[in-house]
Amino acid sequence: MATIASPVEINSEVADFLKRPRKMFIGGAWVEAASGKTFDTYNPATGEVLAKVCEGDHVDIDRAVKAARKAFEEGPWPDMVPAERARLLWKLAELIDEHKEELAELETLDNGKPLLFSRIVDVPTAAANFRYMSGWATKIEGSTIPISMPRAKYFAYTLREPIGVAGQIIPWNFPLIMASLKLGPALAAGCTVVLKPAEQTPLTALRLGELIQEAGFPDGVVNIVPGFGETAGAALAAHPDVDKVAFTGSTEVGRLIVTAAAGNLKKVSLELGGKSPNIVFADADLDCAIPGSANAIFFNQGQICAAGSRLFVHKSIFDKVVAGVAEASKKFQIGPGIDPATTLGPLVSQEQLERVCGYLDSGIKDGAKAAIGGRKIAGSGYFVEPTVLVDVRPEMKVVREEIFGPVVTAIPFSDPNEIVKSANDTHYGLASAVWTRDVSTAHKVAAKIRAGTVWVNCYNIFDAALPFGGYRQSGWGRECGREGIELYTETKAVCAQL
Ligand code: NAP
Ligand code: MG
């Protein structure tokens, strides 16, 4: 394995973890792929191979689904009282805390993101998600329902039961957080799971599997099969014995998931792409709105589904805001994520680098200008300059399509009553933000925006209790909060004649 050129000393547990090919977690055991194949995961800061990982395909998915089915129907899990599930989830959160530095380094090495953020965002958020869902395990309730049938007395009530075996497919942008967002509610509800992490970033999910084992979850309750989307992912989405598939990723693959799920009509929840509007009104507090708008697009190198990638600014302050966001972008310390001083890391992969650079070229070809940035950063690693594009038109690809990189299109507006139309002029509907000092403007606009989240005078505020998901082609269903739990339950109506 390549040695890691790093300005900080890598945790010895991380170094050990990277030495051996990582196996997959099926039925409580660490096993090789049935095919014997492995694939490489790369360090995006150098382009070098970081670790080898067993490559699961449909055979391994089938083994994992069988293990999950068995654990759902037999063994300690189906009889486990909710308080015990709660205790296991809480214990898992504690183990994440105990291993926080190790997990943060692993996440940064695999994904590229700054260690600073792996430490203060990714790892603590994953622990918080499990803690929050631990609380739900004991609070999943049905209701008693008064019914109106004549002539006889009935007692009717509902039960919320675990949906069964859940297949979960996650992307590479927040690997550990995504795993926690998927596993937490499924396990709280009493489901069993087969999780497929992204090929670019399988490592923290596999380390999490070891912690799941250490926490004491029964064998087969969680199975983790790394592999490729077209093989392992597709097999999981199509599997006839999977009751529900939960997917986060691109809208394009989301459509494939829906098609694959149609075979046995499994339940589907989708958290897909976005092209979120971030609207700065003339009366906004620019000391907040400018850094907030920079954070909205540049956080995680722009590789975030909620990214504020269409920045609408009232024309009276347009130049000032664009200059401010450009200035803020210069303050980033760009470098390998593993350097604790880094605040902007590389993109996740060569492929993502090419995608983002392709969008930059297309924008410039269509007549946009880069107020700042606009290019790949020379040298090894997948680094792109934080970029603000101006002189854009609504029909340009850079305005319409999700770039998933540190690239924002800035667009002036003049009529505050018309801005909602422009904001809603997209087939996505994931997130949005409004910056204004006028309470009335804030809530009027919030009501009109067709998106699952509206932030007012802030951006990228996520919470385990706050439902998150998309309108339109940004997805189906909401993760987090009560709705997040309900995605993993079936409602049963029981009606008794007395
Ligand atoms: P993606 O292809 O949608 O991948 C997401 C997950 O789906 C990965 O685990 C992937 O496996 C799996 N997958 C791929 N094809 C599949 C299939 N046919 N059946 C079942 N599962 C499948 O996303 P990506 O390629 O990583 O990124 C492409 C673009 O998607 C990005 O540029 C961005 O625009 C968008 N994206 C959005 C989000 C979001 O949170 N909304 C997250 C990531 C990416 P592999 O990793 O093995 O391919
Ligand atoms: Mg990697």
Side-chain angles (χ1 to χ4, degrees), residues 39 168-174 178 196-201 227-237 247-254 256-257 260 271-274 303-306 348 351-352 355-356 359 402-405 428 430 474:
F39 67 100
Q168 305 186 319
I169 300 170
I170 54 174
W172 43 257
N173 54 345
F174 292 91
M178 291 293 167
K196 193 208 83 72
E199 68 188 65
Q200 296 86 350
T201 57
F228 298 117
E230 298 73 10
T231 48
L236 187 55
F247 170 79
T248 297
S250 60
T251 293
E252 190 190 347
V253 174
L256 297 176
I257 300 287
E271 205 266 87
L272 306 175
Q303 301 169 131
I304 172 164
C305 49
V348 74
E351 191 190 357
Q352 192 62 14
R355 274 178 65 98
V356 172
Y359 277 111
E402 182 176 50
I403 297 176
F404 227 63
Y428 291 115
L430 194 57
S474 287

Side-chain angles (χ1 to χ4, degrees), residues 110-172:
D110 208 10
N111 167 281
K113 65 178 65 205
L115 185 58
L116 174 73
F117 296 122
S118 296
R119 281 176 175 158
I120 64 173
V121 179
D122 295 70
V123 178
T125 302
N129 286 339
F130 284 117
R131 263 193 198 100
Y132 174 82
M133 285 300 170
S134 155
W136 267 112
T138 50
K139 294 161 197 74
I140 300 170
E141 297 171 344
S143 32
T144 54
I145 319 265
I147 62 169
S148 304
M149 294 295 291
R151 279 191 294 280
K153 292 242 179 257
Y154 295 88
F155 174 52
Y157 61 94
T158 57
L159 297 171
R160 278 204 170 261
E161 299 181 342
I163 208 163
V165 174
Q168 305 186 319
I169 300 170
I170 54 174
W172 43 257

Side-chain angles (χ1 to χ4, degrees), residues 40-44 50 109-112 199-203 348:
D40 294 331
T41 184
Y42 298 88
N43 177 348
L50 185 61
L109 289 169
D110 208 10
N111 167 281
E199 68 188 65
Q200 296 86 350
T201 57
L203 297 179
V348 74

Side-chain angles (χ1 to χ4, degrees), residues 240-398:
D241 203 30
V242 169
D243 299 295
K244 185 225 156 66
V245 60
F247 170 79
T248 297
S250 60
T251 293
E252 190 190 347
V253 174
R255 260 187 265 283
L256 297 176
I257 300 287
V258 170
T259 308
N264 69 336
L265 289 175
K266 57 175 67 69
K267 306 296 184 280
V268 180
S269 55
L270 303 169
E271 205 266 87
L272 306 175
K275 193 73 185 176
S276 299
N278 179 34
I279 311 169
V280 185
F281 284 92
D283 68 341
D285 176 355
L286 296 188
D287 290 342
C288 298
I290 288 173
S293 299
N295 162 57
I297 185 65
F298 299 133
F299 176 59
N300 212 43
Q301 297 66 244
Q303 301 169 131
I304 172 164
C305 49
S309 49
R310 290 183 297 142
L311 173 61
F312 294 101
V313 186
H314 190 264
K315 65 176 189 205
S316 62
I317 52 166
F318 183 76
D319 291 343
K320 192 170 176 188
V321 170
V322 167
V325 172
E327 202 48 45
S329 80
K330 289 189 207 154
K331 296 201 179 110
F332 285 109
Q333 174 91 20
I334 301 177
I338 201 71
D339 183 336
T342 294
T343 53
L344 199 92
L347 299 182
V348 74
S349 63
Q350 176 68 30
E351 191 190 357
Q352 192 62 14
L353 176 71
E354 283 165 15
R355 274 178 65 98
V356 172
C357 291
Y359 277 111
L360 289 173
D361 292 345
S362 117
I364 301 297
K365 213 175 94 228
D366 289 345
K369 283 197 192 68
I372 190 127
R375 282 167 314 187
K376 176 191 184 312
I377 298 175
S380 66
Y382 315 131
F383 294 92
V384 173
E385 293 173 344
T387 299
V388 181
L389 294 178
V390 293
D391 292 352
V392 295
R393 294 183 311 278
E395 68 279 9
M396 285 183 187
K397 257 175 77 167
V398 285

